[in-house]
Amino acid sequence: MEEPDWAAPLGQAYDSALAYLTGLPARPVGSSASRPALRAALGGPLPEAPEDPRKTIAALAEAAEPGLVATPSGRFFGFVIGGATPAALAADWLTAAWDQNAGLHVLGPAAAVVEEVAGGWLAELLGLPAGASVGFVTGVQMAHFTALAAARHELLRRAGWNVEADGLAGAPRVRVLAGQQRHDTVDRALRFLGFGTSAVTAVGVDDQGRMRPAALRAALGAGSGPTIVCAQAGNVNTGAVDPLGETCDLAHQAGAWVHVDGAFGMWAAASPTLRHLVAGVERADSWATDAHKWLNVPYDSGLVFCAHPDAHRAAMGVRASYLIHGGEGERDELDHNPEFSRRARGFAVYAAIRAQGRAGIAGQVDRCCALARRFAERLAAHDGVEVLNDVVLNQVLVRFQAADGDHDAHTRGVVGRVQQDGTCWMSGTTWHGQAAMRISVTNWSTDEADVDRSVAAILRCARPAAGHEPTRRAPNRGPGRTRRR
Ligand SMILES: *Cc1c(COP(=O)(O)O)cnc(C)c1O
């Protein structure tokens, strides 16, 4: 066989990636391709004959690019996404080249050790107990699944039930108390684990979406038996954090397990100025967070931590006669994740932390929050623009008032026009029954100029209110773009 040619396809991928990344500031943030155009560019019959791999990569990049959403852009503010830092991205490339099956220590000792090392660094950054076990999963969805499986094991073990062996049929019922504003992934994990969503009692929240301690106390007192309390650090709309210390105290007095959904909000712990928001987080029993959000690691990368390593391993661990399990002190990843074969996710996380350092990560979290406040201040300074939430973290909710009184329709219209405009990209939401634009600042590369350009674009898109002529022409708006539909 001929020497394989790695250089040509990898070189093409490098060139295409670099063109994409360096082109981010100039391209529209949203996708500009229609579905039929993408079908035409990417579709066709099943290829019969082989093709030069370099050509395949070049054609793929060219066909896909118009249909990409520029989520790594410093002006992407939709959902809570974040980009990828150069070191994390480069380490992710290496991860693909190394192609380790990071399920067992024996199949990639470096992958196993890097998870141990990065796991320890992360616990320190996030203010979690040093002895907590860690799993590198695909995202918070699977972090919830893993943590709640550990909770299920431990609470039922205490009740004299072996759920791993005997399942849930006939087991004591486990109740789950979670804030009304919990993320849907909590319910989804409960579905996967056989608890069912009807196991959840919704606990009342305040105007920012934080669980109210008095409501939690009442809910805990209204029942008994094995109980899980799901708290939240970072409401997806407002960024608000549940009172974690009080939540842990109340729940533990009742013998409950506390799980924290800290997908992005737990990163407040990495900042000395914001750490107070998550005070008490270390007293929970399990935690879910993402590396692919605020740590800016490429997708997919989530993290689960558990203060009860034995319960974690009992829920996830596996033994098979043909496997070679790690010896003394050797950590097999598959004892901590729901996956069996899996990507060596630790390398990119390791590189992200090492390249930024503790100070860099703290600075990045602080900067995003300062930029969120800048968004809020600049937008709220305009008539007819209202910020709906207390901007405590990186999330801003904005509502646009229409002269005709239909603020919901106008706000949704502004969100749609901003997405079309391409300067920046925000999603919409409904908050307290009102339509709102939702801004999330989560990208390492976003700077003040990005925010100012985005504010100008938002105001431009807010101007042609239903039935109203724009009051002033924006300086850089071309003719024919005055009235967008
Ligand atoms: C993003 C998010 C999730 C889901 O995380 P994935 O990584 O997409 O699975 C859950 N909870 C909160 C609060 C989030 O922001």
Side-chain angles (χ1 to χ4, degrees), residues 79-80 138-144 181-186 188 232-236 261-265 288-293 299 301-302 438:
F79 304 99
V80 187
T138 50
V140 158
Q141 176 69 81
M142 293 318 284
H144 288 335
Q181 285 280 333
R182 67 189 176 276
H183 196 272
D184 297 290
T185 46
V186 171
R188 200 150 168 255
Q232 183 171 255
N235 178 288
V236 282
D261 177 354
F264 63 96
T289 191
D290 271 322
H292 58 216
K293 288 182 176 171
Y299 283 98
S301 188
R438 179 164 161 251

Side-chain angles (χ1 to χ4, degrees), residues 203-468:
V203 178
V205 295
D206 68 13
D207 65 334
Q208 299 298 309
R210 288 175 294 232
M211 192 150 58
R212 288 191 298 107
L216 176 62
R217 187 184 293 111
L220 283 165
S224 59
T227 305
I228 300 170
V229 173
C230 291
Q232 183 171 255
N235 178 288
V236 282
N237 283 309
T238 64
V241 179
D242 286 350
L244 296 176
E246 228 175 325
T247 300
C248 289
D249 289 344
L250 289 169
H252 286 158
Q253 278 157 26
W257 174 291
V258 181
H259 172 65
V260 177
D261 177 354
F264 63 96
M266 264 172 64
W267 291 88
S271 152
T273 53
L274 295 166
R275 191 169 292 158
H276 65 96
L277 292 171
V278 293
V281 68
E282 71 283 353
R283 303 215 291 278
D285 297 280
S286 59
W287 304 265
T289 191
D290 271 322
H292 58 216
K293 288 182 176 171
W294 230 344
L295 190 59
N296 281 242
V297 168
Y299 283 98
D300 41 24
S301 188
L303 299 157
V304 58
F305 297 88
C306 187
H308 309 272
D310 292 346
H312 187 170
R313 273 191 300 272
M316 288 298 130
V318 59
R319 287 289 173 270
S321 58
Y322 78 97
L323 295 177
I324 305 169
H325 296 286
E328 186 63 27
E330 294 176 346
R331 179 184 184 277
D332 288 330
E333 294 94 320
L334 53 64
D335 286 337
H336 304 86
N337 312 287
E339 303 92 357
F340 202 75
S341 295
R342 61 188 281 280
R343 183 177 181 78
R345 284 191 201 94
F347 291 125
V349 174
Y350 174 91
I353 300 172
R354 185 167 162 168
Q356 290 191 95
R358 191 201 291 267
I361 293 168
Q364 204 227 307
V365 169
D366 284 340
R367 196 166 54 249
C368 286
C369 296
L371 292 171
R373 290 194 298 275
R374 187 181 181 94
F375 256 120
E377 282 156 19
R378 306 236 150 168
L379 287 168
H382 283 259
D383 281 347
V385 185
E386 191 189 352
V387 171
L388 300 181
N389 65 314
D390 297 342
V391 182
V392 290
L393 212 60
N394 62 330
Q395 301 291 118
V396 188
L397 296 177
V398 190
R399 181 161 169 85
F400 300 89
Q401 279 147 7
D404 66 0
D406 194 349
H407 308 321
D408 280 348
H410 181 45
T411 299
R412 290 193 194 101
V414 176
V415 172
R417 285 193 292 276
V418 167
Q419 291 174 357
Q420 286 291 311
D421 171 85
T423 304
C424 56
W425 203 98
M426 283 76 172
S427 48
T429 189
T430 302
W431 182 246
H432 292 324
Q434 299 185 320
M437 170 186 278
R438 179 164 161 251
I439 301 173
S440 175
V441 189
T442 325
N443 188 297
W444 66 280
S445 72
T446 302
D447 62 14
E448 294 183 347
D450 286 318
V451 172
D452 294 352
R453 246 180 97 180
S454 300
V455 167
I458 294 167
L459 294 173
R460 195 160 73 226
C461 293
R463 226 167 274 145
H468 286 261

